[in-house]
Amino acid sequence: MNNTVLPPLRDLEPEVQQEIDECVERWSDQEGNLIMILHEIQNHHGYVPREASLLLAEKTGVPLARIYEVLTFYHYFRLVPQGKHQITVCNGTACYLKGSARLLSELENRLEIKEGETTDDRLFHLETVRCIGCCGMAPAVVVDGTTVGKVATTDIAGIIEKIHIQEETNE
């Protein structure tokens, strides 16, 4: 069972409603349009807001339960906003044998979130994957698309601190 806590409902802004109307119109006569519409919504927002799903159900006549079947079946779709920075821990065999579980635990403790969650300030999102194909670099994590190999638990604080410093210098 998925224990994802959804953000509270909010009113959709008129431009978002218009965007969904245009998207539904654009895909109205295409086979498999529900997935394509959901892709467009997620590409725009970074996730599929519940409000958008409700409006999509109303506009297309597709039951909301069917929309959520699709959203929860495909791993690609996200129901909650993601953090600005993605940290992914590889759980492949080599990484697991060389301590990826300890890395994940250290990240969860330092970020005060569990795997699959985003920090309250939406700065970090933490997830795991089965394998990133960098077994020679085990244990490895991916930070914002960059693979970091042979990571020790003592490196985790530095990885997080580097991102905080980047954020401060960008302000």
Side-chain angles (χ1 to χ4, degrees), residues 2 7 10-11 21-22 28-29 76 84-85 96 99 101-103 108 110 118 123 136 138 141 146-147 149 155 165:
N2 186 345
R10 59 183 167 83
D11 291 332
D21 286 343
E22 291 170 3
S28 65
D29 59 350
Y76 169 81
K84 184 175 179 182
H85 299 280
Y96 183 78
R102 288 189 302 270
L103 298 179
E108 288 177 336
R110 291 203 175 264
T118 300
L123 191 58
V141 298
T146 300
T147 303
D155 298 329
I165 291 171

Side-chain angles (χ1 to χ4, degrees), residues 19 23 27 32-48 56 70-71 74 76-77:
E19 167 202 320
C23 189
W27 291 99
N33 60 1
L34 177 59
I35 290 177
M36 299 312 294
I37 293 168
L38 292 171
H39 272 281
E40 283 196 28
I41 292 170
Q42 180 160 294
N43 287 342
H44 183 80
H45 298 278
Y47 75 110
V48 180
L56 185 59
V70 172
L71 289 172
Y74 293 103
Y76 169 81
F77 290 116

Side-chain angles (χ1 to χ4, degrees), residues 51-130:
E51 301 83 1
S53 296
L54 290 166
L55 183 59
L56 185 59
E58 178 185 313
K59 298 289 181 182
T60 62
V62 174
L64 186 61
R66 175 70 184 136
I67 292 172
Y68 272 90
E69 282 177 354
V70 172
L71 289 172
T72 56
F73 179 80
Y74 293 103
H75 190 263
Y76 169 81
F77 290 116
R78 300 185 186 280
L79 299 176
V80 294
Q82 303 296 293
K84 184 175 179 182
H85 299 280
Q86 297 270 322
I87 300 178
T88 305
V89 177
C90 180
N91 258 340
T93 302
C95 288
Y96 183 78
L97 291 174
K98 291 191 173 189
S100 65
R102 288 189 302 270
L103 298 179
L104 179 61
S105 178
E106 182 70 12
L107 282 161
E108 288 177 336
N109 287 336
R110 291 203 175 264
L111 297 174
E112 298 178 347
I113 58 174
K114 294 291 182 192
E115 187 270 332
E117 294 181 348
T118 300
T119 54
D120 289 340
D121 62 2
R122 292 193 181 169
L123 191 58
F124 295 96
H125 181 78
L126 178 62
E127 62 186 12
T128 61
V129 293
R130 289 276 182 212

